[in-house]
Amino acid sequence: MKKLSISVLSLVLSSSVALAQAQQKKSDTLRTGEIEGVVVTALGIKREKKAIGYSVSQVAGGDLQKSGESNVIQGLAGKVAGVQVTGASGTPGASSRIVIRGQKSIELTSQPLIVLDGQIIDNSYNNNAGSGTNIGGVDDSNRAVDINPDDIESVSVLKGGAAAALYGEGARNGVIIYVSKKGRKRKGIGIDFSTSVGFDQLSNMINLQKSYAAGTNGTTYIQPAQYSSDGFAVTSGTNQSWGPLISSVEGLKAYDNVKNFYQTGVTNNYNLALSGGGDNGNFRASFGHIDQTGIVPNTSLKKTSFNFNSEYRLTDKVKVGADVLYTNTLGVRAQKGSNTAGIMLSLLRMPSSYDVRDYQTDQGYNKNYFAAYDNPLYTVYNNPYKDETNRVIFNGHINYNYSKWLNVLVRAGVDTYTTHAQQNYSFTSNGNSTADGSGQVIVDSFTKSLYNLDLIFNGIVNFTDNINLNYNIGGQINSIFSNDQYSVGSSMLEPNQFNLSNFSTLKAQNGDSKYLKRGVFASLEFAFYDQFYLTVTGRNDWSSSLPKQNRSYFYPSLSASWIFNKTLGMPDWVNLGKLRAAYSSTYASPGPYSIITPYVTPTFYDSFGPQLSSPYNGTGAYGISTTLYNNNLKPEHNKEFELGLELEMFKRLHFNASAYKSTNYDLLIRRPVAASNGYQIYYTNGPTVENKGLEVSLGYDILKNENFDWNFTANWTLNRNKVTDLNGVDDNAPQGSDYFSGNLTPTITLGQPLGVFYGTAYQRDNAGNLIIGSNGLPILAEGAQLIGNPNPDWTGGFRNNFRYKNISLSFLLDVRKGGDIWNGTLARLNRLGMTQASADNRQGTYIIPGVLENGQPNNIAISNKAYYVSYLGDGSFSANETAIEKDINWVRLRDVSLSYNIGKVLSQSAGLTFIRSAEVTFSARNLFLITNYKGIDPENSFAGSASNTLGFDYFNNPNTRSYFLTFKFGF
């Protein structure tokens, strides 16, 4: 890799110098000032802000980098109205989920299309070498992590259907357009260099008790699992901490296992860019490298990227350009969540009388307090998940400018990558699929390629001096190819040799997927007297994943804007007054191979997972899939209406408000069916879901002069999601499969948002009082009930910027109001006696507020253990509703940075005149969190970015608090 990096860098540098020498002094390269008031919209088309009839938000590349996130998706958190970003955890390379204007689908993704310099790129999540599910294994990266934030000049967020109609079905959830930094006209070659060092620390943790030892009845100490001379467990130990005081047992001491496990993570980041330009062209070449170690031992992310873009004018009418990105991303990842090898599951349940650092036997085998779990230190050092992704994104274009009324653009691009991943489960680890400690290796090689071809004709036709037409007409071909080679070796022959030949049982499978979409489109923008703008778009797609009769579908959109400050002759201090309206109709087709029921390799399951699969004893078999596919599938259909108001006044105030209604029909769903039909699942069209919302953005330059600047931006979002029609689906049917824990289920419920929690609850009287049984505990109600809604009431963000001379201060507050979270972590720790609350009054008793069955106030006292096991915990007689934390709010200092511009001082010094700019910055991320949540962090997503399930907290890996010191130089 190192030799390859040096070779590629040498090639880029030599090409850059050659190109710069060939260029002239005068340039037509667009400067920032020249594109002010211009927005990059669908298919890379630049349009004037005043003409746009739908909501578009922009984020500067500098703001994207201030939070120090290595993932450009997570870097958008809190910065844009209508955009909700949820990180999976604080581990290196953790995935991030982004949704614009609410969840729109059940089976398909609700995340927006990602575009880089005109090229549609992949942002999917592949975890085949992990557990194959979203709730176990490791948290892999969403592939936008491969983009280097330092290379990004600006981000445009296209929110509504009208904004995205020209992109086709991939954009019905919105579009995020990343624009890379480009070269500019200059004398010689400009050099930009930055380096930073960061430190990550554990941000928040549940308060665990360190007073009571392992045990069950409050008096008897239960020793940890005991291991024989050959290294195997002969007793199981216990995961409960209801034993005696640690201080009362001779030889015992209390350990802070959280402190002894987590470490300080370190991030080193280096970026180098060369750029230049002349009359006939420009270029920029960059190199970036990030090396991050996590707070979890033996976790890391290393990413190396090379980026080159250039544009050159061949003649007065012909320009050619290309953008090339190569990245190499390597990760070492940590087990998460609900599995016996999970880090947090074993660590937080660990009795304080056991030392986590005693993690392996003399033979190097797993050693733990409870034999059924892997010691978290054993897991991180002996069960590594390692992956390497090599990725190339190329986009080339030819632009022929015949005249003002005819311009032709041909653009072709490819995004291709291969991920090699390997998950090891060491001998004696409980993490393998049969949990028998026999060892396992999973090897996966996944390749995916996206190809795009655009042909666009555009131009401006002036009918009169005051009426003109701006048109775009063209066609597009998108194709996606993927290949997955997956191998599993089970039952290790020689301990801890992770070669497939060292396993007695081998299973291999491969899969190929092909998808093709063709589309034609047109956009007509009419401008009247520089005051009224009307835009009509239309696109027709043909998708290969739908049956022939439903394969073709048409997307229309209509948007209008009125610059009323000109029409009404308003004072000059009203710089812009705009009313806008938009309507769109968009579609989304299913994934490939969704209309024919195939034959598959059968696997038989019990409650502990897959137990029997083909081939068995050397005999292979095929069986018809238990999922019945529908050869009459229709694409999901979205209709959206939007109204907006934009104001700019005093050249200081910027206000943007939108109201929208988005209705999503024929959502694809996997419906359970009676097994007597020969199938278990029916893949078909189903419910209708509606999103209604308001978005407000406000910016104000409070002071602005040579020595002092002070400005702020604020955003606020309200979205209401609701299932308006079940269309044959059972009410309260489960949403997806990314959940567990008894009867707690995210559901599809008529009149409720997608994903509301249904689960066990307690009986109550007409006044809402709990009804208490003779055992002093609440009585369980019959059947599941609606017990929670994970969707927030509203979200907001506030960015404040100060500058005094050469000193700048900036901070971003991220705010969330409302939304419920199932805190399964806290419930289980209460049950096991690990929370500080359960230890504060071990000898005391509790009377649960409520009424007895005869209507009298409850007066039955129960023990501390019964209270925390069966009421606040998830033990016998408990209900899911107890673990639901209601109306969770937070105020988070998402990022803060203090910068000092030392460029002027250095450039005026003798011998340093070559320095164009210089800046030193101290910044921090997640510096504080104010919340009423009792868990670790309310932002974490247990199921990761690939899931539509929200609000589940079950031993998620925690977030981090980070500090950075950055130096930037320009030469």
Side-chain angles (χ1 to χ4, degrees):
M1 174 59 207
K2 186 174 182 181
K3 291 182 179 180
L4 176 61
S5 300
I6 294 174
S7 301
V8 175
L9 180 60
S10 300
L11 176 61
V12 170
L13 295 181
S14 60
S15 302
S16 302
V17 171
L19 180 59
Q21 292 175 343
Q23 294 171 337
Q24 305 296 319
K25 294 182 179 180
K26 187 177 178 182
S27 174
D28 62 352
T29 302
L30 290 173
R31 299 176 181 271
T32 302
E34 293 171 350
I35 63 170
E36 187 175 353
V38 174
V39 177
V40 178
T41 63
L43 302 174
I45 299 166
K46 295 183 175 70
R47 295 184 59 192
E48 291 184 276
K49 289 182 181 179
K50 62 185 179 183
I52 298 175
Y54 47 79
S55 179
V56 178
S57 295
Q58 292 184 290
V59 178
D63 285 341
L64 191 71
Q65 299 159 27
K66 284 179 179 177
S67 59
E69 300 282 1
S70 60
N71 192 324
V72 293
I73 297 297
Q74 190 64 33
L76 289 171
K79 297 180 175 69
V80 182
V83 175
Q84 184 177 0
V85 180
T86 306
S89 71
T91 55
S95 63
S96 293
R97 176 182 185 267
I98 183 167
V99 174
I100 300 174
R101 294 184 173 177
Q103 184 177 337
K104 298 180 177 66
S105 188
I106 299 168
E107 177 72 17
L108 303 181
T109 181
S110 290
Q111 299 193 66
L113 192 73
I114 307 298
V115 176
L116 176 65
D117 296 323
Q119 166 72 23
I120 297 173
I121 67 169
D122 184 65
N123 185 38
S124 61
Y125 174 100
N126 174 51
N127 186 230
N128 287 347
S131 67
T133 72
N134 293 322
I135 61 175
V138 305
D139 180 48
D140 216 323
S141 301
N142 58 296
R143 287 269 54 97
V145 74
D146 300 321
I147 302 174
N148 182 2
D150 193 72
D151 286 332
I152 300 303
E153 178 72 29
S154 65
V155 186
S156 294
V157 181
L158 313 186
K159 301 174 187 176
L166 291 184
Y167 273 116
E169 67 175 62
R172 62 85 180 257
N173 299 319
V175 184
I176 300 179
I177 301 173
Y178 292 93
V179 178
S180 296
K181 296 174 181 176
K182 310 295 182 184
R184 300 175 181 175
K185 180 184 177 181
R186 58 174 298 117
K187 184 181 292 185
I189 296 178
I191 302 174
D192 292 284
F193 174 74
S194 69
T195 180
S196 69
V197 59
F199 300 95
D200 297 331
Q201 297 177 344
L202 180 68
S203 58
N204 302 287
M205 182 52 63
I206 292 175
N207 192 11
L208 303 177
Q209 63 92 3
K210 301 176 185 64
S211 302
Y212 290 90
T216 57
N217 60 8
T219 58
T220 304
Y221 167 61
I222 297 179
Q223 290 188 337
Q226 300 296 299
Y227 295 82
S228 63
S229 59
D230 59 3
F232 294 99
V234 293
T235 65
S236 63
T238 183
N239 59 0
Q240 298 193 48
S241 292
W242 291 104
L245 283 167
I246 294 174
S247 58
S248 70
V249 181
E250 185 177 355
L252 287 189
K253 60 179 292 188
Y255 297 93
D256 189 337
N257 286 313
V258 170
K259 181 179 179 181
N260 292 337
F261 177 78
Y262 287 104
Q263 62 184 21
T264 297
V266 180
T267 301
N268 291 288
N269 198 350
Y270 309 94
N271 290 282
L272 173 66
L274 307 179
S275 62
D279 278 353
N280 293 324
N282 62 81
F283 80 97
R284 183 178 184 272
S286 67
F287 164 82
H289 179 73
I290 184 170
D291 189 342
Q292 179 183 9
T293 59
I295 61 171
V296 174
N298 199 36
T299 59
S300 63
L301 179 75
K302 294 183 180 180
K303 181 173 65 176
T304 303
S305 64
F306 297 93
N307 197 335
F308 177 78
N309 60 66
S310 179
E311 190 171 55
Y312 190 75
R313 184 181 296 277
L314 296 177
T315 70
D316 289 342
K317 296 183 180 296
V318 179
K319 286 194 299 185
V320 297
D323 300 88
V324 183
L325 171 65
Y326 166 76
T327 62
N328 173 264
T329 306
L330 300 100
V332 181
R333 312 196 186 253
Q335 294 285 317
K336 69 171 185 178
S338 179
N339 69 93
T340 53
I343 287 172
M344 290 285 282
L345 185 144
S346 179
L347 178 65
L348 297 193
R349 300 180 186 194
M350 185 173 291
S352 299
S353 52
Y354 186 83
D355 187 355
V356 67
R357 294 168 293 189
D358 187 13
Y359 70 93
Q360 59 183 359
T361 66
D362 293 340
Q363 295 80 10
Y365 297 163
N366 178 47
K367 184 180 183 182
N368 207 12
Y369 63 97
F370 189 46
Y373 300 158
D374 284 3
N375 187 299
L377 281 174
Y378 184 84
T379 285
V380 297
Y381 290 120
N382 295 279
N383 295 337
Y385 177 100
K386 297 182 179 180
D387 60 275
E388 179 176 5
T389 298
N390 286 286
R391 184 175 191 178
V392 174
I393 301 175
F394 170 80
N395 174 26
H397 66 269
I398 301 174
N399 194 305
Y400 175 62
N401 186 12
Y402 177 75
S403 65
K404 183 178 180 180
W405 58 268
L406 179 60
N407 184 77
V408 183
L409 172 65
V410 179
R411 179 169 54 207
V414 59
D415 174 13
T416 183
Y417 64 89
T418 298
T419 298
H420 297 285
Q422 181 167 324
Q423 172 69 71
N424 295 344
Y425 289 110
S426 293
F427 189 67
T428 70
S429 167
N430 297 284
N432 63 318
S433 59
T434 52
D436 61 0
S438 62
Q440 192 170 58
V441 63
I442 304 172
V443 180
D444 185 65
S445 181
F446 180 77
T447 298
K448 190 172 186 179
S449 299
L450 283 69
Y451 297 91
N452 296 296
L453 177 63
D454 299 322
L455 174 62
I456 304 173
F457 299 88
N458 59 65
I460 299 176
V461 179
N462 294 318
F463 299 113
T464 70
D465 291 342
N466 296 311
I467 301 175
N468 60 62
L469 167 66
N470 187 335
Y471 73 91
N472 292 272
I473 300 173
Q476 185 178 70
I477 300 176
N478 305 117
S479 55
I480 302 175
F481 301 92
S482 64
N483 173 265
D484 191 25
Q485 304 283 341
Y486 178 87
S487 301
V488 181
S490 301
S491 297
M492 195 176 279
L493 302 175
E494 180 68 23
N496 299 337
Q497 297 296 315
F498 295 98
N499 188 291
L500 287 169
S501 62
N502 186 46
F503 293 84
S504 61
T505 302
L506 297 176
K507 178 181 178 181
Q509 63 186 47
N510 68 288
D512 292 285
S513 176
K514 299 178 182 179
Y515 172 77
L516 177 66
K517 184 187 69 177
R518 295 167 294 167
V520 294
F521 54 83
S523 170
L524 304 176
E525 177 192 293
F526 297 91
F528 303 92
Y529 295 87
D530 201 26
Q531 298 174 33
F532 302 95
Y533 297 87
L534 177 66
T535 303
V536 181
T537 72
R539 177 178 176 124
N540 200 93
D541 276 349
W542 293 264
S543 171
S544 65
S545 65
L546 285 165
K548 186 175 182 180
Q549 67 272 21
N550 297 328
R551 190 165 294 170
S552 173
Y553 38 93
F554 178 69
Y555 310 72
S557 82
L558 179 68
S559 62
S561 65
W562 171 35
I563 313 303
F564 62 81
N565 62 305
K566 290 188 177 182
T567 306
L568 302 179
M570 301 181 77
D572 291 342
W573 51 265
V574 180
N575 310 116
L576 174 67
K578 183 173 88 169
L579 288 173
R580 51 182 171 78
Y583 164 80
S584 66
S585 173
T586 56
Y587 290 88
S589 60
Y593 316 117
S594 296
I595 59 176
I596 298 175
T597 304
Y599 282 86
V600 297
T601 303
T603 302
F604 298 92
Y605 293 80
D606 63 16
S607 58
F608 296 96
Q611 301 300 318
L612 182 64
S613 62
S614 174
Y616 182 74
N617 284 342
T619 301
Y622 281 104
I624 194 74
S625 172
T626 57
T627 298
L628 175 62
Y629 289 92
N630 184 349
N631 60 6
N632 290 308
L633 274 185
K634 297 181 291 185
E636 295 186 352
H637 186 193
N638 170 266
K639 293 182 179 180
E640 181 167 303
F641 299 88
E642 177 182 345
L643 295 173
L645 169 66
E646 297 179 27
L647 291 173
E648 295 183 11
M649 296 185 292
F650 313 109
K651 296 184 178 179
R652 292 176 180 268
L653 176 68
H654 308 271
F655 176 82
N656 193 333
S658 300
Y660 62 87
K661 177 183 177 183
S662 173
T663 307
N664 305 273
Y665 305 90
D666 300 319
L667 299 193
L668 295 165
I669 187 171
R670 297 178 186 269
R671 291 174 51 187
V673 294
S676 58
N677 293 318
Y679 302 94
Q680 296 177 341
I681 300 293
Y682 181 42
Y683 190 53
T684 186
N685 296 102
T688 298
V689 173
E690 178 183 273
N691 285 281
K692 292 181 180 179
L694 297 173
E695 300 165 353
V696 179
S697 298
L698 176 67
Y700 190 66
D701 297 326
I702 301 171
L703 290 172
K704 191 172 185 179
N705 58 48
E706 183 178 353
N707 292 322
F708 188 67
D709 289 343
W710 179 15
N711 65 75
F712 74 84
T713 58
N715 66 79
W716 178 85
T717 303
L718 178 149
N719 184 80
R720 294 291 179 264
N721 180 280
K722 185 170 69 173
V723 178
T724 59
D725 186 354
L726 291 171
N727 194 19
V729 175
D730 292 338
D731 202 8
N732 308 324
Q735 175 190 271
S737 58
D738 296 329
Y739 62 93
F740 61 98
S741 186
N743 297 319
L744 183 68
T745 309
T747 62
I748 305 164
T749 300
L750 186 63
Q752 296 290 336
L754 282 172
V756 292
F757 301 140
Y758 261 68
T760 53
Y762 295 121
Q763 291 185 27
R764 298 177 185 270
D765 64 13
N766 293 334
N769 298 307
L770 290 174
I771 299 177
I772 309 298
S774 59
N775 59 359
L777 293 170
I779 299 174
L780 289 172
E782 293 185 5
Q785 296 183 14
L786 174 62
I787 58 175
N789 174 12
N791 298 281
D793 297 333
W794 56 263
T795 59
F798 179 84
R799 165 76 71 186
N800 201 82
N801 298 296
F802 296 96
R803 181 191 65 82
Y804 177 68
K805 293 186 177 179
N806 295 318
I807 299 176
S808 301
L809 173 66
S810 175
F811 64 83
L812 173 64
L813 293 175
D814 187 8
V815 183
R816 164 175 154 153
K817 175 67 173 65
D820 306 331
I821 297 176
W822 177 71
N823 194 346
T825 305
L826 185 62
R828 179 55 58 93
L829 294 178
N830 277 328
R831 172 182 174 178
L832 299 177
M834 270 307 300
T835 59
Q836 183 60 48
S838 70
D840 286 339
N841 189 21
R842 279 285 164 100
Q843 307 308 316
T845 59
Y846 294 85
I847 296 176
I848 298 174
V851 297
L852 299 172
E853 292 181 86
N854 61 11
Q856 296 299 312
N858 177 37
N859 58 2
I860 303 174
I862 60 174
S863 68
N864 173 281
K865 184 177 181 182
Y867 183 76
Y868 280 95
V869 170
S870 296
Y871 179 53
L872 294 185
D874 59 358
S876 300
F877 306 108
S878 66
N880 296 135
E881 73 164 297
T882 305
I884 300 292
E885 293 196 32
K886 294 284 189 177
D887 298 321
I888 299 303
N889 311 314
W890 80 55
V891 177
R892 185 189 305 271
L893 184 57
R894 180 70 66 176
D895 64 64
V896 59
S897 62
L898 179 65
S899 301
Y900 182 61
N901 186 346
I902 58 176
K904 292 182 180 179
V905 176
L906 295 178
S907 63
Q908 293 172 1
S909 302
L912 297 177
T913 56
F914 62 90
I915 296 178
R916 173 169 48 89
S917 63
E919 186 178 73
V920 57
T921 301
F922 174 75
S923 59
R925 179 177 68 233
N926 287 338
L927 200 57
F928 70 72
L929 171 65
I930 301 172
T931 180
N932 59 342
Y933 186 56
K934 298 175 184 177
I936 297 175
D937 194 313
E939 183 182 31
N940 278 4
S941 171
F942 169 59
S945 68
S947 175
N948 283 322
T949 297
L950 295 177
F952 277 70
D953 181 344
Y954 197 71
F955 298 96
N956 305 2
N957 288 332
N959 265 339
T960 56
R961 180 180 298 112
S962 308
Y963 306 88
F964 298 90
L965 181 63
T966 303
F967 296 91
K968 291 184 178 182
F969 298 94
F971 307 101

